[in-house]
Amino acid sequence: MDDRHDDIRQSVRALCAGYPGEYWRALDRERAYPAEFVRALTEAGFLGALIPEEYGGSGLGIGAAAAILEEIHKSGGNGAACHAQMYIMGTILRHGSAQQKSRWLPAIARGELCLQAFGVTEPTSGTDTLSLRTTAVRDGDRYVINGQKVWTSRAEHSDLMLLLARTTPKDQVKRRGDGLSVFVVDMRAALGHGMTIRPIRTMMNHATTEVFFDDLAVPAENLIGEEGKGFRYVLDGMNAERILIAAECVGDARWFIEKATAYAKERRVFDRSIGQNQGVQFPIARAYAATEAADLMVKRAAARFEAGEPAGPDANMAKLLAADASWQAADMCVQVHGGFGFAEEYDIERKFREARLYQVAPISTNLILAYIAEHVLGLPRSY
Ligand SMILES: Cc1cc2nc3c(=O)[nH]c(=O)nc-3n(C[C@H](O)[C@H](O)[C@H](O)COP(=O)(O)OP(=O)(O)OC[C@H]3O[C@@H](n4cnc5c(N)ncnc54)[C@H](O)[C@@H]3O)c2cc1C
């Protein structure tokens, strides 16, 4: 099996060469969306990588998708503007009806429809997803949605949203995970008719928003799978998300390590290259070792996921180790560059801000540790 995906990596690198540091820097300053880059990726078919060929996608596995995202980040770019277009559709693919699949998947594969907004997190419930308060109440052939989401990324650049809402009150369900349902919301129809989007400016250029629902009507035919089973459907997709974001972290780490190594060789202080000092080279070597280890875990998680085996522990560990490796490499890279690590034109401070996110989202480090403790090691549930 070609687990390196050399051809795909080469094509992504060639595409990314057209979007150098200057491009990302200018967008970062304005907190603007990389529309041109996303269009180029879409036209090249990369964002339809995981959609089966029968629906017009490339039918590739998660390992190939991970390679695409790793290369984007290794080139100095950022896939967060569109990575969700790759995996959110997985919930429709795995749990949607035949009619729903043929209605949405081919248009997503062609890039005519963007499904890259995922409404789970809410301001009051945070990580405690089962306590979310947005409700969907059945009313004839539609559901009426009320509530609020926060950190719904790319909502302003998406035609559709995958929304998790409560259909049965928490105190009336038989099992903890029951009572939540997943809907596809047509955001073009919803905007101004029960749905409002408010952008949130963040420390890095990340098109994220708050979304408010006020008696928004969603056709009942947009319910995915069975009512009340949505939490389980969404959990399925989260392993894919963790593997792909871990691959982005590996790409970021490799970018930082390459920058730091080149600079350590070239920068001369006290008549010697700074990289001649062990105090400079050891942190680079340590970041490199951590990144290679994280990459192995990403590949193992991807292989398990592709084989249809339970991938939860590996996907979580991949995300944990890769987020740690990228943050370690980011900190090291600033240190190796001394004062220049803070200068905008080096791109390091931008990537440093971007790399910080993955200690918190899409799931925080603590919650991964709690998962490993409880579900892998059998320790008591801590929350
Ligand atoms: C830029 C950005 C983009 C995002 N995009 C999306 C998106 O598109 N869709 C979406 O639904 N969400 C999105 N999120 C939300 C993200 O998934 C959450 O921020 C993340 O899951 C943490 O939830 P929270 O912010 O509510 O933190 P909280 O749940 O309030 O937690 C705060 C801190 O407490 C810690 N903590 C909480 N409970 C425990 C516990 N039991 N044990 C130990 N530590 C604990 C957490 O680890 C965290 O460090 C995004 C967030 C950001 C910042």
Side-chain angles (χ1 to χ4, degrees), residues 118-121 126-127 150-154 204 206 208 357 360-364 366-367 383:
F118 192 21
V120 177
T121 310
T127 307
V150 70
W151 305 118
T152 312
S153 300
R154 303 161 295 271
M204 68 290 171
H206 195 106
T208 195
L357 174 65
V360 171
I363 180 171
S364 69
N366 275 2
L367 267 290
Y383 55 93

Side-chain angles (χ1 to χ4, degrees), residues 134-212:
T134 297
T135 54
V137 177
R138 181 93 191 216
D139 175 22
D141 60 359
R142 59 187 203 151
Y143 282 85
V144 179
I145 316 273
N146 279 289
Q148 182 195 343
K149 296 288 172 184
V150 70
W151 305 118
T152 312
S153 300
R154 303 161 295 271
E156 294 171 295
H157 307 279
S158 197
D159 304 307
L160 306 174
M161 176 199 288
L162 199 73
L163 174 74
L164 190 65
R166 185 158 284 287
T167 37
T168 307
K170 204 176 168 187
D171 56 7
Q172 290 175 25
V173 295
K174 285 200 200 81
R175 290 198 294 172
R176 265 184 89 245
D178 286 350
L180 298 178
S181 302
V182 171
F183 300 90
V184 172
V185 174
D186 186 335
M187 300 179 79
R188 301 158 302 181
L191 207 56
H193 298 96
M195 189 188 79
T196 316
I197 303 176
R198 195 183 297 158
I200 305 176
R201 192 177 164 95
T202 54
M203 70 189 261
M204 68 290 171
N205 185 17
H206 195 106
T208 195
T209 70
E210 296 178 276
V211 183
F212 301 87

